Amino acid sequence: TAKSLDCCKKPGFCGAPEKRTCLVIRGCINHFPNLGAAFRPGIWPSLTIMRSSLSRVISSWHYRCHNPNFDCYKLHPGELRTWKQHLDGVAVTPRNRSFDEFLDMPEYHNIITRMFSRDVLAYGQATSKTNPALVGVHLSRNDLVRAAGTLRAFEWVGIMELMGTSLLLLSSKLGVPLVRSDFFRQRSSHTPAYLDFADGLLRPGWARSGPLKARVERILAANAFDARLWTAARASQCAALARLGLSDHPVVLRDLELSSEFEPCGTEIDFSVDPYAISDQP
């Protein structure tokens, strides 16, 4: 029955292809934002989680479907390898793209801005000569403004790299106490190839130099809109911690220790400033 396949009642991998969705969730399913359902009046508050552009791009490069060398979303049919070709054992005819070439393919970047501004599949709205039905790869400043407005509408915006801090704020908002097991990772998410590639890129900014620094700058430039949204979400998180007197909570300090890429919140926060107030002018 549908209830027996509800992954919120019997935890497991959620996904429409697996016919295991969560019946109480009315928003994003897989990579479809479905913002109309998420913000429909009279339903439960909406939540979302942000991820830094740097770690997301590194992950995308090493994960099937999220880079041009494994084109599950058929952004370039006939040109790049698809999921079906992989399952059928079809040899890869086109040459693999390099990471630098990947950074020059805008359809794979600023996906949070695309999803939250246009309510579309993360990669499925890309312009391609081989598939003219896909449109919307080039985003404008107006898309950034709309995406920021969407983020503002969420009741809670978590940050993946600072998940302990995010859970602390969610616990405070919901009035639900946390237990130690809430902070345990459920799976190891990185392969040795990922760790080797990411070594140095995820160091604090002051520890990067030369080619590493240049590569990080290219990644962030390719995802400038998403990086701006992450900064806004972090500023909102810092303001919430300050309001609740949680800035020096052990969970927050532990997060910063584990995620050395990020700086602590500043001591002076102007609560009158809306972090999501992004001008539509350059």
Side-chain angles (χ1 to χ4, degrees):
T1 65
K3 289 185 177 180
S4 66
L5 296 175
D6 186 348
C7 70
C8 284
K9 293 186 177 180
K10 186 179 180 182
F13 186 82
C14 275
E18 293 75 20
K19 296 182 172 58
R20 280 175 52 83
T21 57
C22 181
L23 301 182
V24 299
I25 294 179
R26 299 294 186 89
C28 180
I29 299 296
N30 285 353
H31 297 77
F32 295 89
N34 200 14
L35 297 178
F39 296 121
R40 190 170 62 243
I43 65 172
W44 292 349
S46 291
L47 318 173
T48 194
I49 299 174
M50 298 285 288
R51 186 177 187 182
S52 85
S53 298
L54 187 56
S55 66
R56 187 199 67 77
V57 168
I58 295 171
S59 180
S60 295
W61 180 242
H62 290 88
Y63 195 75
R64 62 182 183 272
C65 300
H66 297 268
N67 66 74
N69 296 328
F70 209 140
D71 189 27
C72 295
Y73 296 103
K74 300 180 181 179
L75 303 187
H76 302 269
E79 182 184 345
L80 303 176
R81 188 187 195 196
T82 67
W83 178 249
K84 187 175 187 304
Q85 288 173 324
H86 168 71
L87 294 177
D88 293 344
V90 177
V92 181
T93 301
R95 66 178 178 83
N96 280 351
R97 265 56 175 180
S98 69
F99 183 74
D100 287 332
E101 289 176 307
F102 168 57
L103 293 180
D104 288 331
M105 303 177 77
E107 55 268 41
Y108 288 101
H109 304 288
N110 287 311
I111 66 169
I112 296 173
T113 304
R114 184 174 295 112
M115 293 173 76
F116 283 168
S117 66
R118 303 192 180 191
D119 196 12
V120 296
L121 179 69
Y123 307 113
Q125 299 295 310
T127 298
S128 168
K129 293 180 180 179
T130 57
N131 192 351
L134 298 174
V135 296
V137 61
H138 296 292
L139 302 173
S140 71
R141 185 80 177 181
N142 288 335
D143 286 294
L144 175 61
V145 174
R146 285 195 297 270
T150 298
L151 278 174
R152 185 190 292 110
F154 284 104
E155 287 291 324
W156 173 84
V157 178
I159 293 178
M160 182 173 174
E161 296 79 13
L162 300 168
M163 189 49 63
T165 301
S166 301
L167 288 175
L168 183 67
L169 289 173
L170 183 61
S171 168
S172 177
K173 177 174 281 292
L174 298 179
V176 177
L178 295 169
V179 296
R180 183 175 294 272
S181 60
D182 290 330
F183 299 94
F184 293 163
R185 289 193 173 190
Q186 297 299 308
R187 63 176 183 173
S188 176
S189 58
H190 299 318
T191 64
Y194 173 101
L195 294 172
D196 183 62
F197 185 89
D199 183 38
L201 293 175
L202 297 179
R203 295 175 185 169
W206 55 265
R208 303 187 199 112
S209 61
L212 283 177
K213 182 179 180 181
R215 173 159 281 185
V216 168
E217 289 174 349
R218 279 208 67 201
I219 292 172
L220 295 179
N223 293 271
F225 287 166
D226 278 8
R228 177 66 181 84
L229 293 176
W230 190 97
T231 299
R234 174 61 172 154
S236 178
Q237 183 184 77
C238 285
L241 290 170
R243 287 192 188 95
L244 297 169
L246 297 174
S247 298
D248 295 322
H249 192 283
V251 168
V252 175
L253 299 180
R254 177 62 172 165
D255 257 3
L256 291 171
E257 179 183 342
L258 294 174
S259 305
S260 58
E261 177 187 353
F262 309 109
E263 297 293 333
C265 296
T267 55
E268 296 183 6
I269 296 178
D270 185 351
F271 294 106
S272 67
V273 175
D274 177 3
Y276 297 115
I278 298 173
S279 170
D280 59 0
Q281 300 299 320

